[in-house]
Amino acid sequence: MNSIHVPVATYRVQLNPAFGFAAARALAPYLSALGITDFYASPLFLPRKGSPHGYDVVDPTRLNPELGSEEEFAALVDDLKRHGLSWLQDIVPNHMAYDGQNRMLMDVIENGPSSEFYNYFDIDWNHPYESIRGRVLAPFLGEFYAECLERGEIRLRYDAAGLSVNYYDLRLPLKIESYNTVFSANVLALRRKLGGSHPDIIKLLGVLYTLKNLPSVEDIHERADQVRFVKSMLWELYTTNPDIQRWVDEHVARFNGVPGRPETFSALDQLLSEQLFRLSFWKVAAEEINYRRFFNINELISVRIEDEKVLHSTHRLILKLVADGKFAGLRVDHIDGLYDPSAYLQALRQKAPEAYLIVEKILALDEELPQDWPVQGTTGYDFANYVNGIFCDRDNERRFTQIYARFAGPQKPYLDLVSDKKRLIIGKYMAGDVDDLAHLLKGISSRDRYGSDITLYGLRRALVEVLTFFPVYRSYVTAELYRETDREHIQTAVRRAKIANPGLIHELNFIERFLLLHLARPDAQDEKPHWLRFVMRFQQFTGPLMAKGFEDTLLYVYNRLLSLNEVGGEPGQFGLSVRQFHAFNEARARRWPHTLNATSTHDTKRGEDARARINVLSEIPDEWEKAARSWSRINRAAKQLVREHEVPDRNDEYFLYQTLIGSFPLAGANPEYVARLKGYMIKAVREAKVHTEWLRPDEAYEEAFMAFIDKIIAPAEGNLFLSQFLPFVKKIAFHGMLNSLSQTVLKIFAPGVPDFYQGTELWDLSFVDPDNRRPVDFAARADLLRELKEWESQNPGRAPAELLDGWEDGRIKFYLTYKALQFRNARRDLFFDGDYLGLRTAGPARRSLCAFARRKKDLWCLVAAPRLTTRITTAGKFPLGEKAWQTTAILLPERAPERWLNVMTGDTVQSAPSGRQRHLAAETVFRSFPVAFLEPA
C-alpha cells in the first residue's frame, strides 16, 4: 500500500465536447496553484456521439475523439505532470450504450453465437417468453411496433456497413443469414442483362454462394473472415456497377412498404421476426425484458464484467494508461451493479497494484464499506451527509414535522412513504426485472419439495415485498463470503415484508431460505450454486430500485427539509450531533484514511452552498412557518385551477419556496436563473411522479406551475412576495455562508481526501444535473486566485478581514479553500494518517461549535467551525468576539500545545487552564475570521 499514490486534494472536471483535452490544459497551473494534487476526470472513453457526460460508452478501448486527439490527450497529461498533478479517472465497468455505435453489441446482434462478443452483455438468451427467446429486446420505438411499422418509420437500408434496420437515429444490423432472404430474387434476370461471363456477375454469384455456405457458428474466426469478405465484396460491386446498384436498391425497396397500405409491410415484418433483436415500444421493457439495464434506462445495457475475458477486453486501454503512468487512480462507477463487486475489485487491484482506487458506493448512515475490498474508499457521499447533518438543528425536528404537515397536509410516515415509492418504481419500471427473478427462482425451486406448491405469481409478489423493504442499496453475498451484516439486511427485509404482508408468509419464508442459502437437505449441496446464482442476481436489483425509488422519487416528494434530501442521505433523520460526526471521523481515520470527502458531486441533488442555506431554516422554525404561510397567502392569486385543483399543490409549493431559498441570487433573479429554475422544477415534479412524470407528462399542470413561478418572481413594482422574500433570503444566505465556510474547513481537514467539484471554490447554488454541469469560468477563477495571492502578499493579515465585507461574491470561500489547501499540502504526513481527536466544548454557545484536532507525533492541527449560528449572532454580524461566544471554550487534549497560531489570520492564541485541562477561548479563536485552523505557535 505504501507505493499507492494518495492525493492531497482532488478536483472533479466534467469533460465534454465543448470542454475537452485542449481546454483542460489551462487548468493545470490553476489547480496546482490552488493546492489541488489530482485532476479527477469524468469518463473519457468513446461514448455515443455528442454525449454531454460520457457514461454512455460505446467503446472502452478508444478515447473520445470529441474531447480531442490522442496528441492533445498526451499534451494534457504532460501539462498536468509538469505542474505536479496526477490523474484520477472515472471508469464505467457496469454498462455500455445500447446503440448502433456500439460495435461490440452490434456484432452480437449481427452474428449471434458466432460473435466473439456474444457473452459480453448481460442478456438472457433463454428467456421463458418465446418472443424474446434467442433474441434481445430492443425497446426503442415511440409507439406500438405495428403502428411504427405501418407508418413507414422502420426502414430497411443498405450502406457500406451492410444491411440494417433503421428507426430514426437507431441503426441495427441484420444477421448475415438474412442477406439471402433480401437478395434471393431476380438473380437470373440480372445475369441475363450483364451476361453470365461478366466478372461482376461471377463475383456476385460467389457472394451469394458464400452466404449459403458459411462455416458453422463454432468456427468463429473463419466465419468472421467470410462475413467480412461477403460484405466488402458486395459493397464494392454496389459502388462500381450501376446495374448491381439498382438491383440491390430494388431488393431493399421491396421490403419497405407504403404507409396506408398495411399489407405492403408483411415482408419487412417477416424479415424482422427472423432477427436476433426484437423491436418494441419502449414501455414494454418495464414489464418484459431480457437484458439487464443501468437502473431503468433502456439505452444502457449491462456488461458481464465478471467474465475474465470481458474484463480484459474492456479494460485493455484503461490498464495500459495506468501502467504507462498516465492515470494514477481510478474511480469505479456504480460498483453495486456488478455481479461480484469484490471479485472485480480484487482483479482490478491485481492488474493495477499501485493505483489509487475508489468506488462510487452509497452507504447508509450506519453502514460500513466492506473491509475486504482492496480500495482506498468511496467517492464521499457518506462524508457529505455526515457533515451536512451537523448543520441541521436536531432540537427542532418535531416543530418542523408539524410545520410541514400544517402547510402541505398530512403525510404518511416516512418509512411507509419509502416503501410506497419503491413499489411504484417496481410496478412502472422494473416489473420485467422482478418477473425474470421470479422465473429464475421458480426454475431452481422446482427441484425443491418445499417449494413445489409455491406459484410463480406468489414468488413475484413476495419478491416485490423483499425488494421493497431491503434497507440498504445491496448486500454482497458470494460463494466465498457471507458477512453477518448481509445476513442482517436480508432478515430485516423479510421481517418487514412479513409484517406488511402476512398473507405471503409461506412465499417469504421460502425466499428467505434461498437468500440465506439455508439448504433444506444435507444431501442437496449440488443445488447450492443454483441458489447462489439467484442470490447474486437478486443483489444486482436492490441498488437500482433504491436509486429510482428513493433518490429519484422520494427525495422529490418528502419535503420536510430539502437540505437532507440527498444521495445517501436519510431525510427521516433530522440532523446529526457533533458527537456522531466525531465518531464517524474516528472510524474513517482508523479504517479508510484515504477515502474521498465530498460536499458536491455531479450526482448530488443540489449544490453544497444551497444545502448550507436551507439548513438554516432548521434553526428558525417559527420564522420559517410565518414566512411560508404569508408567501402562500400572497401567491394564491397566482395559482391556476387544473381539473379543479390549484397548481402548484401545497407540497410542490413548499418544495419551491425551499428551492428559492437555496438558490436565489442575492443580486436578483435574471432571465438565466429563471430559465434554470423552471427547468429544474419541471424535472422535480416529474421525478415526484404525483401530478406528472417522464412517462406521461401532464402539460397542463406543468404549464400552470411555470406560470406561477413567472408571476411570483417577476421583478415588478409592487411584488409583495419579493418584498418579503428578499430580506428573508438575505438573512438566510448570511448564515448559510457561515455554514459553508465551516463545511469547507471540516472537509479539508477531516480524515480523508478533500474532493472539489468543478467551480465550487466559489458559491455553489446549482440544481441537480444537468444544471450542475454548466460551463465553469475557469479563466476568471485563475485571475481571482492571482489577485488574492497578490493581495495577500501586499497586505499580510488584512485580506481575510477585508473579504468579510464582500462575502456575497464568494471570494471569502475561495480564499479559505486556497489557504487551507496550502496548509494541508505543507503538512501531508499529518493529514494522510494522523490521529483524529474530537474535542469537547464548554460554555453557553458550546452547541454552536464543532472542533477537532489532528495529531501525528509532534505535528498538530486544531480545527474549529461554527454551526447553528442563528443562536449566537444576528444576520450581518459575524460570530466574533465576546458577544457571540461569551465564555465558550474548546477543551484541549492531553499534551496539546499551549500556544497556537491561527493560520488564516496570523493571530497567536494562548490556551488557559480549566481545571485539569487547558482550553482555548472561542472569542479569541474567532476574533478575526469566522472559522479557524491552528498549528502550534
Side-chain angles (χ1 to χ4, degrees), residues 635-651:
N635 293 333
R636 187 170 185 183
K639 292 187 175 186
Q640 298 178 27
L641 287 177
V642 173
R643 293 181 291 277
E644 300 182 2
H645 293 284
E646 290 185 341
V647 179
D649 75 5
R650 299 280 285 180
N651 199 35

Side-chain angles (χ1 to χ4, degrees), residues 733-749:
F734 173 81
H735 290 284
M737 174 270 298
L738 297 176
N739 285 347
S740 295
L741 298 182
S742 292
Q743 179 174 253
T744 299
V745 77
L746 294 174
K747 174 173 77 172
I748 292 174
F749 295 121

Side-chain angles (χ1 to χ4, degrees), residues 41 158 194 210 390 417 477 486 542 548 673 698 833 835 916:
Y158 177 71
L194 294 178
T210 304
I390 65 171
L417 203 55
V477 177
D486 292 332
T542 55
K548 300 309 295 183
Y673 171 76
D698 185 330
D833 55 10
D835 295 333
R916 301 172 67 176

Side-chain angles (χ1 to χ4, degrees), residues 773-793:
R773 286 191 268 111
R774 287 172 294 135
V776 175
D777 191 342
F778 290 112
R781 283 165 171 77
D783 289 343
L784 180 55
L785 180 58
R786 283 191 291 269
E787 292 172 11
L788 288 172
K789 291 173 73 173
E790 182 178 353
W791 187 8
E792 180 184 50
S793 65

Side-chain angles (χ1 to χ4, degrees), residues 192 288 310 327 390 457-458 528 629 684 769 809 824 836 844:
R192 284 194 298 271
E288 295 180 8
V310 178
F327 294 163
I390 65 171
Y457 175 72
K528 190 168 183 178
R629 290 170 68 88
D769 73 298
D809 61 19
R824 183 180 171 92
Y836 177 91

Side-chain angles (χ1 to χ4, degrees), residues 655-783:
F655 186 103
L656 173 63
Y657 292 147
Q658 292 184 69
T659 297
L660 288 171
I661 285 167
S663 64
F664 203 83
L666 295 182
N670 55 39
E672 181 197 10
Y673 171 76
V674 174
R676 287 175 48 229
L677 173 67
K678 291 164 72 174
Y680 170 66
M681 290 307 302
I682 289 288
K683 178 168 183 170
V685 293
R686 288 184 181 179
E687 296 283 26
K689 305 171 187 68
V690 175
H691 300 289
T692 183
E693 57 181 312
W694 298 107
L695 287 175
R696 286 182 293 274
D698 185 330
E699 294 182 3
Y701 187 89
E702 293 176 2
E703 289 172 3
F705 200 167
M706 297 307 101
F708 178 80
I709 291 172
D710 281 331
K711 290 175 184 175
I712 70 171
I713 65 174
E717 186 175 346
N719 186 325
L720 186 56
F721 166 67
L722 282 184
S723 69
Q724 290 188 8
F725 175 77
L726 290 175
F728 186 88
V729 79
K730 286 179 180 177
K731 170 184 175 178
I732 294 296
F734 173 81
H735 290 284
M737 174 270 298
L738 297 176
N739 285 347
S740 295
L741 298 182
S742 292
Q743 179 174 253
T744 299
V745 77
L746 294 174
K747 174 173 77 172
I748 292 174
F749 295 121
V753 175
D755 172 47
F756 296 84
Y757 185 67
Q758 60 176 27
T760 58
E761 54 271 48
L762 292 172
W763 299 133
D764 174 26
L765 305 177
S766 59
F767 304 121
V768 73
D769 73 298
D771 187 73
N772 62 18
R773 286 191 268 111
R774 287 172 294 135
V776 175
D777 191 342
F778 290 112
R781 283 165 171 77
D783 289 343

Side-chain angles (χ1 to χ4, degrees), residues 342-647:
S342 180
Y344 168 79
L345 292 171
Q346 296 290 348
L348 189 61
R349 172 56 73 202
Q350 187 177 18
K351 295 173 186 295
E354 298 184 0
Y356 174 77
L357 297 182
I358 54 170
V359 292
E360 188 213 20
K361 167 60 190 166
I362 300 168
L363 296 163
L365 292 176
D366 58 352
E367 186 183 5
E368 276 284 342
L369 190 67
Q371 290 287 304
D372 60 309
W373 285 6
V375 299
Q376 277 58 62
T378 75
T379 51
Y381 297 119
D382 46 353
F383 180 84
N385 283 294
Y386 264 90
V387 76
N388 181 70
I390 65 171
F391 296 99
C392 174
D393 195 336
R394 302 172 73 211
D395 289 352
N396 293 325
E397 177 175 9
R398 188 171 183 179
R399 288 280 295 112
F400 248 75
T401 302
Q402 293 169 343
I403 292 168
Y404 181 36
R406 282 196 289 265
F407 190 99
Q411 303 291 315
K412 277 190 174 183
Y414 171 74
L415 290 178
D416 290 349
L417 203 55
V418 172
S419 59
D420 282 356
K421 298 310 173 186
K422 291 173 79 173
R423 280 198 196 90
L424 173 72
I425 293 301
I426 291 174
K428 289 200 171 193
Y429 301 98
M430 295 181 65
D433 299 311
V434 174
D435 189 55
D436 290 346
L437 278 176
H439 276 286
L440 176 61
L441 181 56
K442 182 65 175 175
I444 299 169
S445 67
S446 62
R447 298 186 289 269
D448 186 301
R449 64 174 177 262
Y450 296 95
S452 60
D453 290 336
I454 295 179
T455 66
L456 182 64
Y457 175 72
L459 288 176
R460 282 196 198 101
R461 290 183 60 204
L463 280 169
V464 167
E465 296 308 309
V466 177
L467 287 164
T468 293
F469 287 104
F470 209 79
V472 294
Y473 275 75
R474 75 164 278 174
S475 53
Y476 300 97
V477 177
T478 68
E480 294 77 28
L481 185 62
Y482 205 129
R483 300 175 183 84
E484 186 57 34
T485 53
D486 292 332
R487 193 180 312 278
E488 291 171 359
H489 294 324
I490 288 168
Q491 290 174 330
T492 295
V494 175
R495 184 175 65 252
R496 291 177 180 173
K498 289 176 181 177
I499 293 171
N501 296 275
L504 292 172
I505 188 72
H506 297 297
E507 290 86 350
L508 291 167
N509 283 337
F510 186 68
I511 289 172
E512 184 175 30
R513 276 186 51 228
F514 266 76
L515 292 175
L516 295 175
L517 299 180
H518 286 171
L519 297 175
R521 307 186 323 275
D523 62 344
Q525 289 301 314
D526 59 329
E527 292 294 314
K528 190 168 183 178
H530 302 292
W531 288 40
L532 185 64
R533 179 167 176 262
F534 166 74
V535 174
M536 295 182 74
R537 293 296 288 179
F538 172 89
Q539 292 176 141
Q540 287 181 288
F541 291 103
T542 55
L545 177 57
M546 183 74 83
K548 300 309 295 183
F550 176 77
E551 290 178 36
D552 292 344
T553 305
L554 178 91
L555 296 187
Y556 295 92
V557 174
Y558 184 75
N559 302 330
R560 183 172 64 170
L561 186 68
L562 291 187
S563 52
L564 304 178
N565 290 20
E566 198 47 85
V567 178
E570 185 60 53
Q573 180 165 330
F574 201 77
L576 297 165
S577 68
V578 170
R579 180 175 295 182
Q580 288 172 299
F581 182 65
H582 288 327
F584 168 76
N585 283 322
E586 288 164 3
R588 281 161 70 86
R590 291 193 307 271
R591 299 169 188 163
W592 305 103
H594 303 143
T595 187
L596 284 194
N597 293 346
T599 43
S600 287
T601 76
H602 60 284
D603 284 325
T604 45
K605 296 301 181 183
R606 51 190 50 81
E608 61 191 53
D609 301 313
R611 286 197 305 274
R613 280 191 187 183
I614 297 169
N615 272 324
V616 178
L617 299 178
S618 71
E619 304 177 47
I620 52 171
D622 293 337
E623 290 180 60
W624 163 238
E625 180 173 31
K626 180 181 178 182
R629 290 170 68 88
S630 176
W631 301 340
S632 187
R633 284 193 299 269
I634 293 168
N635 293 333
R636 187 170 185 183
K639 292 187 175 186
Q640 298 178 27
L641 287 177
V642 173
R643 293 181 291 277
E644 300 182 2
H645 293 284
E646 290 185 341
V647 179

Side-chain angles (χ1 to χ4, degrees), residues 53-105:
H53 47 70
Y55 285 96
D56 45 357
V57 178
V58 297
D59 189 345
T61 67
R62 293 175 56 199
L63 295 176
N64 181 3
E66 291 188 290
L67 300 180
S69 65
E70 291 189 12
E71 291 75 19
E72 287 172 318
F73 170 73
L76 173 57
V77 172
D78 290 344
D79 278 5
L80 292 172
K81 287 184 176 180
R82 192 177 305 115
H83 288 89
L85 292 160
S86 298
W87 190 312
L88 172 60
Q89 182 56 48
D90 193 348
I91 62 172
V92 190
N94 176 69
H95 57 268
M96 293 173 66
Y98 192 153
D99 190 273
Q101 300 170 56
N102 185 338
R103 63 177 182 85
M104 296 179 187
L105 182 58

